[in-house]
Amino acid sequence: MKQFKSLVIAVVLAICSVGFASAQSKVAHIDVQQLVQDMPEMKAAQAELQKLQGTYKTDIDASYQALQSKMKTYQAEAATQTQEENQKRAQEVEGMQQNIMQAQQQAQQELSQKEMELLKPILEKANAAILKVGRAQGFDYVLDSSSGSGVILADGKDLLADVKKELGF
């Protein structure tokens, strides 16, 4: 009987300590993806990226049109040219195709690099605002409740409006 009483007391103490520990931690959440999408800086960055992408697309399309034109000309003149000249022209067309493919790859790499360059300060600003608001409101943890982030239930305090206010929008 004495062992049973000790066990019951131990279980009660364990439950109380778990309850007390969880009561000490304050948890909030924020949809970081939504915050970043709503930031004016993000909209400006997206516009800049679209403009840069348009420039690359225009250049590549012009190169592709020049290639198409040259291929049509060479095909039309192929019967009147020597075998050696046709081979030279085929190599030239192949070289142009490779240049276009390289330009596409380089454009994609430069776009990715520019995107990272533009996003880094935006993400840092959002993170700093989240930290500031979370600490000011006394939260121990702020979870990212963005879709796919692993948070299944987010019924606690949502800091999105407070962080937007902190950022001035």
Side-chain angles (χ1 to χ4, degrees):
M1 186 67 167
K2 189 171 183 163
Q3 289 177 343
F4 180 71
K5 189 176 181 182
S6 296
L7 182 64
V8 169
I9 290 172
V11 169
V12 169
L13 286 174
I15 291 172
C16 288
S17 66
V18 169
F20 181 72
S22 66
Q24 295 296 318
S25 297
K26 288 179 67 180
V27 180
H29 66 90
I30 185 168
D31 187 338
V32 176
Q33 239 177 6
Q34 184 65 48
L35 174 67
V36 170
Q37 283 300 113
D38 291 347
M39 292 175 70
E41 295 92 337
M42 184 61 173
K43 292 173 182 166
Q46 286 174 334
E48 186 175 336
L49 285 171
Q50 286 177 348
K51 182 180 176 185
L52 185 60
Q53 185 177 18
T55 302
Y56 286 135
K57 184 177 179 347
T58 301
D59 292 345
I60 290 171
D61 286 348
S63 296
Y64 187 72
Q65 291 297 328
L67 172 66
Q68 291 294 338
S69 175
K70 190 167 278 203
M71 285 175 61
K72 285 180 184 177
T73 302
Y74 286 175
Q75 285 175 352
E77 296 174 351
T80 62
Q81 299 295 320
T82 65
Q83 180 73 15
E84 185 179 293
E85 184 65 27
N86 284 335
Q87 286 178 346
K88 229 164 103 177
R89 288 180 171 191
Q91 288 175 347
E92 181 183 351
V93 166
E94 188 176 314
M96 288 177 73
Q97 288 173 332
Q98 288 177 353
N99 289 340
I100 291 171
M101 287 176 32
Q102 287 174 349
Q104 287 174 327
Q105 289 173 350
Q106 184 177 355
Q108 188 61 41
Q109 287 174 350
E110 289 176 10
L111 279 170
S112 294
Q113 184 178 9
K114 185 68 171 178
E115 182 178 24
M116 294 293 230
E117 180 183 306
L118 291 172
L119 285 180
K120 186 178 179 188
I122 294 170
L123 293 173
E124 287 173 353
K125 183 177 179 180
N127 191 46
I130 292 167
L131 289 173
K132 184 175 180 182
V133 169
R135 287 184 179 140
Q137 294 186 14
F139 290 103
D140 297 319
Y141 302 97
V142 177
L143 304 175
D144 181 2
S145 60
S146 301
S147 176
S149 67
V151 175
I152 296 173
L153 177 66
D155 282 342
K157 170 78 172 158
D158 187 356
L159 296 179
L160 186 60
D162 296 333
V163 173
K164 283 183 174 183
K165 185 177 178 183
E166 173 66 29
L167 289 171
F169 65 95

